[in-house]
């Protein structure tokens, strides 16, 4: 998919992009799977740790979301630093520190240690996702970015497909081993691999194509020519980015999408339990189903978006359908088949919108300021990751039900679609001959 070549393009580009894809994307995808897993495995830990350490739903919701406060505070500085020290050092540093912090979640004893470690996890992971998006702009032309994003962003659904059953199995199989509870083993066994991946990243990645010893001089020249000819014509300084209304319009849309994605990510195990699934292992297995749909939807919408070279409606339509589907799931919380079907559709549409969305800012922002601009959009949007689980937690605490909080999230997804309808995102500049 990322190496699809448009009619009339140099026939040497397809094998070149295929070579780049097999070199970079599997490794970056694996790293992002663990990033997503360490971010959301708290949803499974809640099934055991909430009672063990004595925290309420409101405390859980705030702790789940406080990750994003640390992330947002340090994201722009992290990405601006990336342009100075390179992606290789940045990704390595981020992965080692977040892996150690995620594993340290096994030491949580109560409310404040829960808050502090979740906050620090956000601080250390800050800049990873937008840094990776910016890094890929060095290697792929804008006409291919939706497809590339679909492959890398599959990390979220894969994290849900593999992480749900794996987390449930670890929590069940290791419970009580060597004096640790199942949730403590889960944090340890899912956190430490990130440290190893961080070390590998330092030696495996190249900051830019010009430094890649696995590309010939001819391949480097061909890639440079394609990136130049198919790039957007508008350049940015970071000061311009901060004053650009289009950036904040994109950030608000992203905020609404993130509210939906992390509402489901953090509360899906609880929603399945409300629907009547009681076994931890069964919850883990059923939780994989929505993410299978997400992977399929992401790839289909991204392929269609790249083929048609259209981003706006390929983001707007699935965001709207996600809001409607989540509303249906909320209205029938105890009807298992209907609830699971609606949650599955909502999850698939959210991730499809999320994937295609990232082709919009990456085609608009050019130059070194793109690192800061993408991070700024991501930072503002990820405040939704703090807000949405907190809204649902407070709703559950106040009313005894998740419904009112989920209806708010549904409305935000619809609002995100309407924002794209009203505020037309910048279109890509036509490719130069």
């Amino acid at each position: 998919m990322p190496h699809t070549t448009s009619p009339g393009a140099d026939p040497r580009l397809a094998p070149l992009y295929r070579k780049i894809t097999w070199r970079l994307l599997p490794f970056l995808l694996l790293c992002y799977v663990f990033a997503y897993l360490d971010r959301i495995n708290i949803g499974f830990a809640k099934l055991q740790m909430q009672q063990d350490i004595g925290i309420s739903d409101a405390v859980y919701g705030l702790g789940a979301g406080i990750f994003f406060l640390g992330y947002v505070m340090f994201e722009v500085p992290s990405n601006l630093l990336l342009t100075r020290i390179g992606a290789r050092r940045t990704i390595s540093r981020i992965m080692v520190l977040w892996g150690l912090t995620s594993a340290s979640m096994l030491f949580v004893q109560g409310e404040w240690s829960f808050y502090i470690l979740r906050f620090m996890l956000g601080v250390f992971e800050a800049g990873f996702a937008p840094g990776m998006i910016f890094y890929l702009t060095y290697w792929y032309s804008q006409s291919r970015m939706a497809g590339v994003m679909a492959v890398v962003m599959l990390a979220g659904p894969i994290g849900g497909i593999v992480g749900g059953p794996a987390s449930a199995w670890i929590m069940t199989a290791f419970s009580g081993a060597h004096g640790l509870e199942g949730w403590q083993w889960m944090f340890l066994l899912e956190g430490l691999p990130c440290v190893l991946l961080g070390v590998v990243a330092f030696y495996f990645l190249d900051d830019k194509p010009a430094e890649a010893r696995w590309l010939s001089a001819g391949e480097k020249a061909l890639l440079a020519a394609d990136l130049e000819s198919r790039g957007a014509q508008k350049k940015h300084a970071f000061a311009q980015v901060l004053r650009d209304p289009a950036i904040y319009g994109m950030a608000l849309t992203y905020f609404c999408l993130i509210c939906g994605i992390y509402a489901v990510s953090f509360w899906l195990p609880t929603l399945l339990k409300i629907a009547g699934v009681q076994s931890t292992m069964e919850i883990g297995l059923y939780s994989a189903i929505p993410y299978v749909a997400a992977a399929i939807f992401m790839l289909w919408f991204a392929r269609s978006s790249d083929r048609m070279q259209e981003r706006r409606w390929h983001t707007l339509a699935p965001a709207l359908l996600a809001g409607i589907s989540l509303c249906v799931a909320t209205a029938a919380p105890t009807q298992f088949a209907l609830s699971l079907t609606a949650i599955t559709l909502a999850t698939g549409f959210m991730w499809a919108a999320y994937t295609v969305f990232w082709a919009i800012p990456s085609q608009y922002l050019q130059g070194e300021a793109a690192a800061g601009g993408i991070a700024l959009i991501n930072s503002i949007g990820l405040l939704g990751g703090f807000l949405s689980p907190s809204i649902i937690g407070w709703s559950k605490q106040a009313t005894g039900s998740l419904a009112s909080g989920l209806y708010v999230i549904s409305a935000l997804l619809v609002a995100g679609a309407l924002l794209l309808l009203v505020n037309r995102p910048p279109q890509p500049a036509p490719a130069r001959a």
Side-chain angles (χ1 to χ4, degrees), residues 1-5 143-151 295-311 314 352 355-356:
M1 167 160 57
H3 49 262
T4 300
T5 304
S143 63
R144 302 169 189 269
M145 281 303 290
V148 173
M149 288 297 99
V151 173
I296 295 169
F297 283 32
M298 287 168 69
L299 291 172
W300 189 89
F301 274 90
R303 181 180 291 272
S304 175
S305 176
D306 271 351
R307 185 177 65 250
M308 300 174 66
Q309 286 297 291
E310 197 287 322
R311 312 302 188 193
H314 280 81
T355 300
V356 179

Side-chain angles (χ1 to χ4, degrees), residues 82-83 134-140 207-209 223 227 368:
L82 180 150
T83 63
F134 174 68
Y135 177 61
L136 289 170
T137 65
Y138 286 145
W139 300 87
Y140 290 94
D207 286 326
K208 292 183 179 180
L223 178 61
L227 294 177
E368 295 300 302

Side-chain angles (χ1 to χ4, degrees), residues 39-60:
R39 192 181 298 182
I40 61 100
N41 60 10
I42 192 70
F44 285 93
K46 176 182 182 290
L47 300 174
Q48 291 181 357
M49 74 179 290
Q50 185 171 14
Q51 183 174 354
D52 288 350
I53 66 176
I55 59 174
S56 66
D57 283 319
V59 169
Y60 164 74

Side-chain angles (χ1 to χ4, degrees), residues 222-245:
L222 180 62
L223 178 61
D226 190 53
L227 294 177
E228 174 64 23
S229 68
R230 294 176 182 271
Q233 296 173 353
K234 189 171 183 178
K235 303 292 181 183
H236 290 82
F238 189 59
Q240 289 177 280
V241 168
L242 292 173
R243 298 192 299 269
D244 191 341

Side-chain angles (χ1 to χ4, degrees), residues 128-192:
F128 178 72
M132 187 171 56
I133 293 168
F134 174 68
Y135 177 61
L136 289 170
T137 65
Y138 286 145
W139 300 87
Y140 290 94
S141 66
Q142 296 306 319
S143 63
R144 302 169 189 269
M145 281 303 290
V148 173
M149 288 297 99
V151 173
V152 175
M153 298 304 177
L154 276 175
I158 291 173
I161 293 167
V162 176
S167 297
W169 177 77
I170 292 171
M171 289 168 61
T172 303
F174 286 80
S175 182
H178 300 286
L180 297 178
E181 298 298 331
W183 60 270
Q184 293 175 303
W185 277 109
M186 184 198 70
F187 284 126
L188 181 65
L189 295 179
E190 292 179 357
L192 290 182

Side-chain angles (χ1 to χ4, degrees), residues 25-381:
L25 296 195
F27 180 72
L28 292 176
L29 174 61
L30 180 63
C31 292
Y32 202 15
V33 165
F34 276 98
Y36 187 77
L37 186 58
D38 286 343
R39 192 181 298 182
I40 61 100
N41 60 10
I42 192 70
F44 285 93
K46 176 182 182 290
L47 300 174
Q48 291 181 357
M49 74 179 290
Q50 185 171 14
Q51 183 174 354
D52 288 350
I53 66 176
I55 59 174
S56 66
D57 283 319
V59 169
Y60 164 74
L62 180 58
I66 208 168
F67 162 92
F68 295 98
L69 291 185
Y71 198 108
V72 166
M73 288 172 65
F74 287 87
E75 182 160 35
V76 172
S78 177
N79 257 39
L80 293 177
L81 182 63
L82 180 150
T83 63
R84 294 175 179 270
I85 68 173
R88 181 171 61 94
R89 290 182 177 85
T90 299
I91 291 175
S92 178
R93 178 256 303 168
I94 288 172
M95 294 197 70
V96 169
L97 292 177
W98 107 51
L100 292 173
T101 306
S102 181
S104 298
M105 285 288 293
L106 70 91
F107 298 115
V108 169
Q109 296 293 322
E111 178 179 342
W112 286 103
S113 57
F114 180 47
Y115 290 156
I116 290 169
L117 281 172
R118 285 292 295 178
F119 178 80
M120 294 307 297
L121 185 64
V123 169
F124 290 136
E125 195 184 320
F128 178 72
M132 187 171 56
I133 293 168
F134 174 68
Y135 177 61
L136 289 170
T137 65
Y138 286 145
W139 300 87
Y140 290 94
S141 66
Q142 296 306 319
S143 63
R144 302 169 189 269
M145 281 303 290
V148 173
M149 288 297 99
V151 173
V152 175
M153 298 304 177
L154 276 175
I158 291 173
I161 293 167
V162 176
S167 297
W169 177 77
I170 292 171
M171 289 168 61
T172 303
F174 286 80
S175 182
H178 300 286
L180 297 178
E181 298 298 331
W183 60 270
Q184 293 175 303
W185 277 109
M186 184 198 70
F187 284 126
L188 181 65
L189 295 179
E190 292 179 357
L192 290 182
C194 298
V195 179
L196 176 61
L197 284 170
V199 174
V200 172
F202 185 80
Y203 294 99
F204 182 75
L205 295 178
D206 299 288
D207 286 326
K208 292 183 179 180
E211 301 170 13
R213 287 176 290 182
W214 46 275
L215 290 177
S216 68
E219 288 172 327
K220 293 175 184 178
L222 180 62
L223 178 61
D226 190 53
L227 294 177
E228 174 64 23
S229 68
R230 294 176 182 271
Q233 296 173 353
K234 189 171 183 178
K235 303 292 181 183
H236 290 82
F238 189 59
Q240 289 177 280
V241 168
L242 292 173
R243 298 192 299 269
D244 191 341
I247 298 298
Y248 297 99
M250 287 185 272
L252 286 175
T253 296
Y254 187 56
F255 170 87
C256 294
L257 295 176
I258 287 294
C259 281
I261 283 174
Y262 284 106
V264 171
S265 296
F266 288 131
W267 289 94
L268 179 58
T270 302
L271 290 170
L272 290 171
K273 194 168 186 177
I274 291 171
V277 185
Q278 296 303 315
S279 161
T280 299
M281 197 65 221
E282 286 185 1
I283 289 173
L285 293 172
Y286 278 120
S287 70
I289 294 174
Y291 292 105
V292 172
I296 295 169
F297 283 32
M298 287 168 69
L299 291 172
W300 189 89
F301 274 90
R303 181 180 291 272
S304 175
S305 176
D306 271 351
R307 185 177 65 250
M308 300 174 66
Q309 286 297 291
E310 197 287 322
R311 312 302 188 193
R312 180 176 174 235
W313 285 99
H314 280 81
T315 305
L316 187 161
L320 180 62
L321 291 170
I324 295 170
S325 300
L326 187 60
C327 200
V328 171
T330 305
T334 58
Q335 298 179 40
F336 175 72
L338 178 59
S339 178
L340 180 58
T341 300
I343 290 171
T344 298
L345 289 172
T347 305
F349 285 126
M350 286 177 207
W351 279 97
Y354 170 85
T355 300
V356 179
F357 169 83
W358 274 116
I360 298 172
S362 65
Q363 74 189 8
Y364 178 62
L365 290 164
Q366 295 291 306
E368 295 300 302
I374 290 171
L376 179 62
I377 293 169
N378 200 47
S379 297
I380 295 171

